[in-house]
Amino acid sequence: MLRTHLAVLPLALAIAIPEARAEDLTKSASADTDLAFAGNDFVDWSADTGWFPSGFVAQLRLKATIAAHTYVNAGYRATAYWDDEMQANLAPVAGSGYLDVAYGAELALYGRIHTTVLGYEINWEGQIPIPWIPEDLLISGAGAFDPRLDTFGVYVADQTAPITILSTDAIAQVISLGGISGGLYVSMQAGMRATYRAKKISFAGSVVDAVEDRVTIDQPTGGFHSNLSLPTQVEGTVKYAPTLTFAAGFDLKIFGVRVVDWTIGSVPVVLPGIDRAVKLTGDAPNVLLPELDGIGDGARMDFESASTQFLHIKNTGLGPLQLIPLSPPAGISVVPVTLEGKDELDLRITVSEGALAAGSTNIQFATNDPDRPIVQIQLGMAVGGTDPGTPPEIAPEEGGCSAGGGGQSIGLLLIGLALVTKRRRVRA
């Protein structure tokens, strides 16, 4: 294996380099995640105009069942901090929130006629077929927002123009009643307002009252190892406020006798607002950590044979590893080390003549390995040879340290009789 040696700097140059301190270690790391909720279903909405207009011998009634689509996406950045203890917090990624909502209606039209014409009593009631549901009855809206906790997130709205759902001058084609003639016209206008608000964030096994709040993470048995998984879930509310307004005209003759001829410009349908609970889930943020290997308990370097000795060290973690010598004894030359994830090199230490005349000494290194903030190497003459020491008792790593898990699902939206493919937006 080809080893990379750290060159020893000339003394004059070394004096010009600022002394490395433990405070210079990087002991934080971040990871991003996108959380999402997607729901496509027939929510508990039903609309009924009742029979209208009141007091007429021929009336209409419209019923609607609402199909709703909800998609919410939000981006967060998790950051782990380790010094005396491991802590982490969650911050929203500005502008990463995205709300996409839509609804449509399955409509049913009914009619009834109760009258007497030329001595004949007419009593009819039944469903009037609607030939097709216009696709432009789909109401949708989308907007971006900052996904902060328990603050107003985003407001979207949409409204259609009046849309004809039935128009015929041959009433006998839709109402099976002898001697009937005339025309029927029905139109609908739909509107929607929707808002999203985040209510609760579960992060790394805790519930945070606000984003940026830090939570403490206990060190697991065996240590943190190479990465830290921080399961995250956001619970919120999407509030729908839909409206439906119908207009209708009915011109009816039986046996040539005009029974009714009315037009109503606005028949509002009361639809209560619905607060829909949503849970945004996704892959847990995975923070990359450093992990030192090669300096164990009792590590030593023996300078009897040469004034320069090496210990082969590895960063078995995924985040950058740093080692900084702490106040090295006089006559001891060593350079701070930075190793990228899964990298390795030879740690090189040189002692000047007479530096170990008193026997042996110890040199300590501050590291940014959250499991091993301080490591020590014995330096001496005839101390039994250079040896990396005994590795610390750390259990085998199984996918990194995690405080839980998460998942998400994406579906299709069926509104009325139309299959609509909705857009998705995930932060790049």
Side-chain angles (χ1 to χ4, degrees), residues 277-427:
V278 298
K279 291 184 179 180
L280 280 62
T281 59
D283 294 334
N286 188 36
V287 176
L288 306 184
L289 303 177
E291 185 176 19
L292 171 65
D293 180 49
I295 302 177
D297 297 334
R300 63 181 183 269
M301 299 179 80
D302 194 324
F303 294 87
E304 184 177 24
S305 61
S307 61
T308 297
Q309 294 294 321
F310 306 93
L311 271 182
H312 192 66
I313 63 173
K314 300 178 182 179
N315 178 8
T316 55
L318 299 174
L321 172 69
Q322 296 172 288
L323 280 81
I324 292 178
L326 297 177
S327 302
I332 307 298
S333 175
V334 60
V335 177
V337 170
T338 297
L339 274 175
E340 296 302 320
K342 300 301 181 182
D343 202 357
E344 56 188 276
L345 53 68
D346 285 335
L347 174 66
R348 176 174 178 166
I349 297 181
T350 298
V351 299
S352 61
E353 185 177 354
L356 299 177
S360 66
T361 187
N362 293 321
I363 183 171
Q364 288 187 330
F365 290 85
T367 89
N368 66 336
D369 181 337
D371 298 316
R372 306 181 66 199
I374 300 291
V375 294
Q376 179 173 284
I377 302 174
Q378 180 189 13
L379 310 179
M381 306 288 289
V383 291
T386 296
D387 190 280
T390 304
E393 296 183 1
I394 297 179
E397 182 177 3
E398 297 181 0
C401 173
S402 174
Q408 68 180 32
S409 62
I410 301 296
L412 296 177
L413 170 62
L414 178 63
I415 292 188
L417 303 179
L419 183 64
V420 181
T421 302
K422 295 301 296 177
R423 55 192 173 274
R424 297 285 184 265
R425 192 181 85 165
V426 177
R427 179 173 47 82

Side-chain angles (χ1 to χ4, degrees), residues 67-210:
H69 152 85
T70 305
Y71 178 77
V72 187
N73 184 91
Y76 292 90
R77 173 164 294 169
T79 302
Y81 308 85
W82 59 97
D83 197 352
D84 296 331
E85 60 182 357
M86 179 70 76
Q87 294 185 318
N89 70 355
L90 193 70
V93 177
S96 66
Y98 189 65
L99 173 65
D100 187 346
V101 294
Y103 81 82
E106 282 192 341
L107 304 175
L109 176 63
Y110 300 87
R112 70 180 181 184
I113 303 169
H114 296 294
T115 187
T116 300
V117 178
L118 303 177
Y120 292 95
E121 186 175 345
I122 307 296
N123 292 291
W124 175 88
E125 185 172 323
Q127 185 170 353
I128 300 173
I130 297 175
W132 56 284
I133 302 295
E135 288 188 13
D136 49 4
L137 281 178
L138 176 68
I139 305 298
S140 64
F145 63 96
D146 290 334
R148 306 193 68 83
L149 178 63
D150 204 25
T151 58
F152 177 76
V154 63
Y155 166 87
V156 297
D158 190 20
Q159 181 168 305
T160 71
I163 298 169
T164 300
I165 59 177
L166 178 62
S167 180
T168 179
D169 291 328
I171 193 67
Q173 294 180 358
V174 295
I175 296 179
S176 300
L177 190 62
I180 191 172
S181 62
L184 177 60
Y185 168 83
V186 180
S187 69
M188 186 184 87
Q189 184 173 19
M192 179 210 45
R193 300 186 307 277
T195 59
Y196 166 75
R197 181 187 297 268
K199 289 291 188 180
K200 175 183 176 182
I201 295 181
S202 301
F203 174 64
S206 300
V207 175
V208 296
D209 295 327

